[in-house]
Amino acid sequence: MDVVTQAKTTSVPGRMYRGESHAARKKERQDKLSAAALEIIGTEGFKAATVRKVCREAGLTERYYYEAFGNAQGMLKLVYEQQIGRLASTLYEAVNSVEQTPTAMAEAALTSLFGAIKKDPRMARVIYIEIVGVSEELDEVYRKGQRRFDELLVKLSKPLYPEENTADLDDLLMASALVGAITQVSRDWVLANFDRSITALVNNMMALVVGVITHLQTRRPAR
Amino acid sequence: MDVVTQAKTTSVPGRMYRGESHAARKKERQDKLSAAALEIIGTEGFKAATVRKVCREAGLTERYYYEAFGNAQGMLKLVYEQQIGRLASTLYEAVNSVEQTPTAMAEAALTSLFGAIKKDPRMARVIYIEIVGVSEELDEVYRKGQRRFDELLVKLSKPLYPEENTADLDDLLMASALVGAITQVSRDWVLANFDRSITALVNNMMALVVGVITHLQTRRPAR
DNA sequence: TATTTTTGACTATGGATGTTGTCACACAAG
DNA sequence: CTTGTGTGACAACATCCATAGTCAAAAATA
């Protein structure tokens, strides 16, 4: 009935608890839950990451699962975006910490990528395997995530070849293809339990990248 | 009790029915069921392909679902392998029906691939999206499937560059990377509702393939 | 025709899971 | 101290689904 006082009492976000604000507690819970979700999705797969299981792993109850994720897709989306974000930072850092020549940068990025994958295969499983084919919404999230790396690649390689040579080509498409190549190799590598050395992977992928760039540099304009 | 007569009567595979042998009926049912499964998996996704749904789509009952597939993973595996098989035949045919020069063959394969995808996106969804990340067993099936195409690619490109240039590289790895690139582009293309022309895709992918091959032809042996 | 197999429609069972709700205790605020 | 909010353990409910089973009609075989 009394809308005004209702609004007053319920509009307050929350009170302190154990010395922390509502927002701080909420964030802590989300961190715990997404760490638990990463662990389960990254080792047993998305299907295995049930509400109860994630909550038990996190040491929290179902209420906070819904607070943090809303639903299972929200959980996967959040974990995916966290991992993609971390990886992108790692790669940017690697690229910026070497001499600014194209091959050095490419090599740094690749080494850093494969290193990150080996260091935390759960991440690779989430961003390369589990995210795919769950729902239309998540497929769209995945595409957006991949495009991040496409754009990084375009930015790195754009200075390397004259614009007019590529009138009939499509930067983003080529970048997406290269990222796809690297992704595929990464996926195989994970699924094969790291059966090769990082150097071998980097050397091969460098041949691919340099091959494409060289091709773009030297080709005649398309008929 | 009477084990001998039991064995005698039950060891017979089956009798005729509606003019068809047991084997023929069984195959017909499997065809109907796998067509139904392809339709549902390819349009609504693997998760949506429940036993009842597939059976209703096929016009058959659950008993024959288990006869044909055993379980849901068996269903996906069968459908995947059928589609992979069909696609491989299509590509081989395309490659063999043009003049036997590398670029012509590569162009034929790519054109044929993108054509097949556009003609039946359900196939693409099954072999590129739905098969991934379901279970370890199916991941293995997927890897084996991809390797088919890797090997086709190696066979096609092997004559194009001298062996000694590639001592530190790995044919299969490079092929897998290229197939990954093409797969990624295909996936994006499907998810983006065929937003580009087949020629554009083929041209771009040709640049990639030719780039790599040229690189392999001209590079100095690795230090 | 009598018997057995094959098939289709349908039901039953059991398990897993998402989601909501209950209740008691911990803690904060007045 | 009292009141109300935050929290954790857990139960209840509803839903979906794989899988097994029942029963009668159709068709083949003897």
Side-chain angles (χ1 to χ4, degrees):
Chain A
M1 240 211 279
D2 189 347
V3 180
V4 178
T5 45
Q6 274 188 3
K8 270 180 187 166
T9 51
T10 58
S11 67
V12 184
R15 68 165 56 150
M16 300 282 284
Y17 203 85
R18 282 186 209 147
E20 288 177 316
S21 72
H22 176 78
R25 282 168 2 239
K26 189 169 166 181
K27 185 180 180 322
E28 250 179 41
R29 288 192 292 257
Q30 201 185 54
D31 289 347
K32 271 191 199 169
L33 280 163
S34 66
L38 170 63
E39 174 63 26
I40 296 177
I41 301 174
T43 53
E44 302 175 44
F46 176 57
K47 274 184 339 202
T50 63
V51 176
R52 280 170 181 75
K53 213 167 183 177
V54 171
C55 288
R56 274 185 42 216
E57 172 84 23
L60 292 171
T61 60
E62 289 89 337
R63 186 189 299 133
Y64 303 113
Y65 178 97
Y66 294 107
E67 178 195 57
F69 303 135
N71 55 35
Q73 292 195 20
M75 170 185 68
L76 182 50
K77 183 178 173 196
L78 183 70
V79 171
Y80 173 80
E81 282 170 348
Q82 284 178 345
Q83 296 304 308
I84 279 285
R86 270 178 49 89
L87 180 60
S89 306
T90 306
L91 294 191
Y92 269 99
E93 210 172 293
V95 165
N96 289 329
S97 65
V98 296
E99 56 166 337
Q100 298 296 294
T101 68
T103 53
M105 289 160 85
E107 203 166 317
L110 286 169
T111 307
S112 170
L113 169 67
F114 293 126
I117 291 172
K118 191 160 190 179
K119 194 168 158 194
D120 189 1
R122 302 174 310 170
M123 180 266 289
R125 180 152 176 188
V126 168
I127 70 174
Y128 290 145
I129 298 174
E130 296 298 332
I131 186 79
V132 177
V134 173
S135 73
E136 291 193 15
E137 193 196 334
L138 286 177
D139 282 343
E140 180 58 28
V141 170
Y142 172 66
R143 290 181 62 207
K144 278 212 184 101
Q146 290 290 98
R147 213 171 312 156
R148 265 206 198 199
F149 296 100
D150 300 349
E151 282 157 6
L152 168 61
L153 194 51
V154 170
K155 217 171 72 182
L156 288 184
S157 54
K158 198 89 184 180
L160 299 182
Y161 50 84
E163 189 72 34
E164 65 270 18
N165 270 10
T166 61
D168 63 336
L169 293 184
D170 183 324
D171 287 336
L172 262 180
L173 183 61
M174 292 295 279
S176 156
L178 277 180
V179 171
I182 295 163
T183 300
Q184 175 61 31
V185 167
S186 304
R187 210 192 314 257
D188 267 359
W189 194 47
V190 173
L191 292 177
N193 284 311
F194 312 111
D195 58 346
R196 294 167 204 266
S197 72
I198 290 184
T199 353
L201 293 180
V202 172
N203 285 345
N204 278 278
M205 290 303 99
M206 283 299 289
L208 191 66
V209 173
V210 174
V212 171
I213 289 178
T214 313
H215 181 69
L216 291 179
Q217 285 175 330
T218 58
R219 69 199 285 274
R220 304 269 129 250
R223 50 178 171 82
Chain B
M1 241 209 277
D2 190 345
V3 180
V4 179
T5 44
Q6 274 187 5
K8 270 182 188 166
T9 49
T10 56
S11 68
V12 183
R15 65 163 59 151
M16 301 281 286
Y17 202 84
R18 281 188 209 145
E20 288 177 317
S21 72
H22 175 77
R25 290 180 339 254
K26 189 168 165 181
K27 185 181 181 321
E28 251 179 40
R29 287 193 291 256
Q30 201 185 55
D31 288 348
K32 270 192 201 170
L33 279 164
S34 66
L38 170 63
E39 173 64 26
I40 296 178
I41 301 174
T43 54
E44 302 175 45
F46 176 58
K47 275 184 337 201
T50 63
V51 176
R52 278 170 182 75
K53 212 167 183 177
V54 171
C55 289
R56 276 185 41 216
E57 173 85 21
L60 292 170
T61 62
E62 289 89 337
R63 186 188 299 133
Y64 301 113
Y65 178 97
Y66 294 108
E67 178 195 57
F69 302 135
N71 55 36
Q73 292 196 19
M75 169 184 71
L76 183 51
K77 182 179 172 194
L78 183 71
V79 171
Y80 173 79
E81 281 169 348
Q82 285 178 345
Q83 296 303 308
I84 279 286
R86 271 178 50 89
L87 180 60
S89 307
T90 305
L91 295 191
Y92 270 98
E93 211 172 291
V95 165
N96 289 330
S97 66
V98 294
E99 55 165 337
Q100 299 295 296
T101 68
T103 54
M105 289 161 85
E107 202 167 316
L110 287 169
T111 307
S112 171
L113 170 67
F114 293 125
I117 291 172
K118 191 162 191 178
K119 194 169 159 195
D120 189 0
R122 301 174 311 171
M123 181 267 288
R125 180 153 175 187
V126 169
I127 71 173
Y128 289 146
I129 298 174
E130 296 298 332
I131 187 77
V132 177
V134 173
S135 74
E136 290 193 17
E137 192 197 332
L138 285 177
D139 283 342
E140 181 57 30
V141 170
Y142 172 66
R143 289 181 63 207
K144 277 211 184 102
Q146 290 290 99
R147 214 171 313 157
R148 265 207 198 200
F149 296 99
D150 300 350
E151 281 158 5
L152 169 61
L153 193 53
V154 170
K155 217 170 73 182
L156 289 184
S157 53
K158 197 90 184 179
L160 298 182
Y161 51 85
E163 190 72 32
E164 66 271 18
N165 272 9
T166 61
D168 63 336
L169 292 185
D170 183 325
D171 287 337
L172 263 180
L173 184 61
M174 291 296 279
S176 157
L178 277 179
V179 171
I182 295 163
T183 299
Q184 176 60 31
V185 167
S186 304
R187 211 193 314 255
D188 268 358
W189 194 46
V190 173
L191 293 178
N193 284 312
F194 311 111
D195 59 345
R196 294 167 204 266
S197 71
I198 291 184
T199 353
L201 294 181
V202 172
N203 285 345
N204 279 277
M205 290 305 100
M206 283 298 290
L208 192 65
V209 173
V210 173
V212 171
I213 290 178
T214 312
H215 181 69
L216 291 180
Q217 284 175 331
T218 58
R219 69 199 284 272
R220 301 270 128 251
R223 51 181 168 82

